[in-house]
Amino acid sequence: MRFGHFDDERREYVIHRPDTPHPWINYLGSEDFVGLISNTGGGYAFYRDARLRRLTRYRYNDVPVDENGRYIYLRDNKNGEYWSPSWQPTRRRLEGYSCRHGLGYTVIGSTHAGIEAETTYFVPLDEALEIWSMRITNRRTAPAALSLFSAVEFCFWNALDDATNFQRNLNIGEVAVEAGVIVHKTEYRERRDHFATFACSEPLAGFETQRDAFLGAYRGWSEPLAVERGATTDTIGVGGCPVGVHHVRLDLRAGESKRVIFVLGYHENPAAESGGATLDAGVVRKTIRRYFQPDVVDEALNRLRDAWDRRLSALQVRTPEPDVDRMVNTWTPYQCAVAFSVSRSASRYESGIGRGIGFRDANQDLLGCVHMMPDRARARILDLASAQLVSGGAYHQYQPLTRRGNDEIGSGFNDDPLWLILSAAAYIKETGDWEVLEERVAYGDEPRTAEPLYEHLVRAADYTLARLGPHGLPLIGRADWNDCLNLNSHSTDPDEPFQTAPIRDGGTAESVFIAGLFCLAGEELEGIASRIGDGTTASRLRSAVVGMRTAVAEHGWDGGWFLRAYDARGDKLGSRENDEGRIFVEPQGICPMAGIGIEDGKADTALDAVGRELLTDHGILLLQPAYTTYRLNLGEISSYPPGYKENGSVFCHTNPWVVIAACRLGRAEEAWDYALRINPARREEISEVHECEPYVYAQTIVGRDAEDHGRARNSWLTGTASWAYVATTQWILGIRPTFDGLEIDPCVPAGVREYRVSRRFRGATYDILIENPDGATGGVRKIRIDGERFDGSVLPVFEDGKTHDVTVTLGGPS
Ligand code: BGC
Ligand code: NOJ
């Protein structure tokens, strides 16, 4: 069952009814000012840091679901009836409801009692504010006397404190109304240089700044007293819960339409630049007034849409499969960009409080963005390098506002530093910017030791080599990519978070996953080292990779698939010797990706096992059988009920690794099939089962060990997006940046007889037509560039600003 449809032309997902199985959200803005918005107007906004600079309040674990948002009420002043055009919070019956989630904007519209209202919400490029642009039309045959109320609840202080420290926070709120603009100015000019404003383009009939005054005692957002009464009290409240409410009276003739614009903004006035003023600083008022003009708003929205079109034009495809096209052309790169910006901080599942920019996550998110935003990717790589430690390891996260690494959410994840090599290599392959390697960056724990990025990468590889266990495999530390494989913490204290519990690394627990990742990253770094003339490091890495492959072959192979790990007692995990957790997906993906087991058949055998043991209609499971009891030696993984999260769900992030592995082995039909099984657009048909948004990947889909197999959760902020994008564009469709040019290496089902890829790469556009007349599944027979025969499969770097026609014939060399 569907709750909407894709409008591919406009790059929008159109939701037809408000009561989706879960709030289906979108992001407004993807750089400094970010807003989350659901299909019924729920959500909140923040500037840079969802914990420290949040403008509006949101209640997680909310009942009814999705509480607090950008609320609008319309009231018919004749009979006192009122409703919300975005359905929430009043949830009155609406006609013609639709929500169009687009790239960086959302449009929600409906009609009630002959009054049509449509609101476009977006964050203009390079502004720290969001616009709600409303059009209200009287479709009745008689005039309408209406009242319009806007409502936001402020939370302009530490969001963690907001949920804990009521004795203070309920006594600090300060608000002002300056020339009709509601200003949230708590602590302004005391400890803060910033304030928030909420403004309305129309003359006000009244306002409200205190929640209690607006709602009335014991009432919720669905029935505010002020709306019921049709009048505000114009209270300027101190303390309590500051809100921003405008009341506007609208008298519309039959057929008349009116635009009303709200602007919710964040402003900084560094103390040195002005006195005690807020709005009087002039700049702020000017900006607000500018956006009161409908044509300025329309123009800003067009600029936003153009910016996305330009960004996405870096890679566009046309294949026979619409679900592939809509994900690759629009939604996956969009999701990658959102995840790149907010990492794992703010979604319906991440409160914005606990997690800054994750080291491992950010490096992977970058893989799906680097072709669209190379400059931001470069800056991010350098930021990440500054969260690296002298040991070569890394802080597991850093705060976006301070850019400082910290251990707040745990430390000692031994895979972390290796991901930096993958992101740096991807950036260089994309841009050819070798100079980035010379950028000097200080280490997070030793600010005086700035070293070139290249040295950071070498230290990252050496970090693994300095931490090998009894089988010559990398020690896992706290955990590896699988945060819940806590082999060294043995936690018995229910009050201790697994991710920060003390670890006792006895030098025994080893990870086959890190071994695979090391080989992958080690080869990339070897490629870099040899190209910059550091032969010594290149050959050192080469032999380290060979050594690691041997260790995996000897101690990381279980006969039918790759082992997952050795625990702190030296016992095998992910082995047929185990009763539960006999096979894990991660090493079956990463080892073949790194070329391990390709020649001796192990990789093929491992993929056979994946198909046999782990594949479901809803994707590939993380492990089987799921753990049914808590295991002290494994940690958090076994704390989840069977089929959930790391304990045997379809942990989507890992699926594209298997797709890439399948491509490396030429298993084309399988790669295509596996990619489609988790493709959210393909799952749109079963939205009542999947429950999450059909336009973005979710982190997990409940596994077959649980009743609700197929139900997705933790949508949006997941590394799945980047890897799905890389797997589909670089490995299935086979257009892959390399250090030396754009490689063409498709791996498609025989039935795909033709497809097109337009790829901007290092200053030229490659218009590529791939023809597959004989139904091959890979192998390049012939390439023509601008009509001329070209030998080889790595297209040259043109850097000439031109478009080049490339025709590729599949089917092996002729
Ligand atoms: C989750 C993991 C996550 C980790 C770190 C765990 O509870 O299951 O998916 O990576 O927390 O935040
Ligand atoms: C989510 C985390 O953000 C990511 O870093 C981790 O790899 C996966 N969970 C798997 O545990």
Side-chain angles (χ1 to χ4, degrees), residues 344 355 360-361 364 396 480-484 645-646 651 653 699:
R344 301 296 172 273
R355 300 169 71 185
R360 173 202 295 138
D361 295 327
Q364 292 174 83
H396 196 50
D480 58 22
W481 170 87
N482 190 328
D483 275 333
C484 299
K645 289 277 283 177
E646 278 84 349
F651 209 100
H653 191 137
Q699 182 200 54

Side-chain angles (χ1 to χ4, degrees), residues 6-155:
F6 284 92
D7 183 338
D8 295 320
E9 193 77 7
R10 297 177 57 85
R11 301 191 193 279
E12 291 175 342
Y13 190 79
V14 189
I15 303 168
H16 301 151
R17 48 190 281 188
D19 57 340
T20 46
H22 223 52
W24 284 3
I25 73 163
N26 190 17
Y27 285 78
L28 311 175
S30 59
E31 295 193 33
D32 288 343
F33 193 97
V34 177
L36 282 74
I37 184 164
S38 72
N39 58 308
T40 60
Y44 61 101
F46 60 91
Y47 179 74
R48 284 207 182 153
D49 188 312
R51 171 164 162 188
L52 300 174
R53 297 288 182 276
R54 186 179 296 209
L55 275 78
T56 56
R57 196 173 261 161
Y58 196 68
R59 293 184 166 73
Y60 282 85
N61 269 331
D62 33 16
V63 178
V65 79
D66 196 17
E67 276 298 285
N68 271 52
R70 299 161 177 84
Y71 289 153
I72 291 171
Y73 304 84
L74 278 169
R75 180 179 191 274
D76 189 331
N77 289 336
K78 261 212 184 118
N79 57 16
E81 203 207 338
Y82 62 91
W83 70 97
S84 299
S86 67
W87 194 58
Q88 288 255 58
T90 60
R91 295 187 291 280
R92 300 263 199 283
R93 256 184 71 96
L94 301 171
E95 292 142 38
Y97 161 92
S98 80
C99 165
R100 308 179 77 96
H101 282 319
L103 307 189
Y105 68 92
T106 286
V107 185
I108 308 180
S110 67
T111 303
H112 181 89
I115 305 298
E116 188 182 288
E118 186 183 82
T119 313
T120 304
Y121 307 84
F122 73 103
V123 175
L125 293 171
D126 307 318
E127 297 279 17
L129 54 86
E130 63 176 51
I131 307 276
W132 315 357
S133 166
M134 276 193 93
R135 178 183 295 283
I136 304 155
T137 310
N138 178 9
R139 297 275 176 221
R140 299 174 182 169
T141 48
L146 305 171
S147 274
L148 168 67
F149 296 85
S150 64
V152 294
E153 187 175 4
F154 290 110
C155 171

Side-chain angles (χ1 to χ4, degrees), residues 469-519:
H471 301 96
L473 297 166
L475 293 174
I476 196 167
R478 174 177 297 283
D480 58 22
W481 170 87
N482 190 328
D483 275 333
C484 299
L485 209 50
N486 312 127
L487 305 184
N488 288 312
S489 49
H490 301 174
S491 176
T492 51
D493 177 357
D495 306 328
E496 158 182 274
F498 283 104
Q499 302 296 317
T500 49
I503 44 173
R504 291 164 290 274
D505 192 345
T508 307
E510 297 167 289
S511 161
V512 177
F513 176 81
I514 302 184
L517 180 63
F518 176 82
C519 293

Side-chain angles (χ1 to χ4, degrees), residues 533-549:
D534 182 0
T536 318
T537 303
S539 62
R540 192 164 70 75
L541 286 167
R542 198 169 311 131
S543 44
V545 169
V546 170
M548 193 68 82
R549 284 174 187 228

Side-chain angles (χ1 to χ4, degrees), residues 458-473:
V458 174
R459 280 194 197 220
D462 283 335
Y463 179 87
T464 305
L465 294 175
R467 285 166 185 75
L468 300 180
H471 301 96
L473 297 166

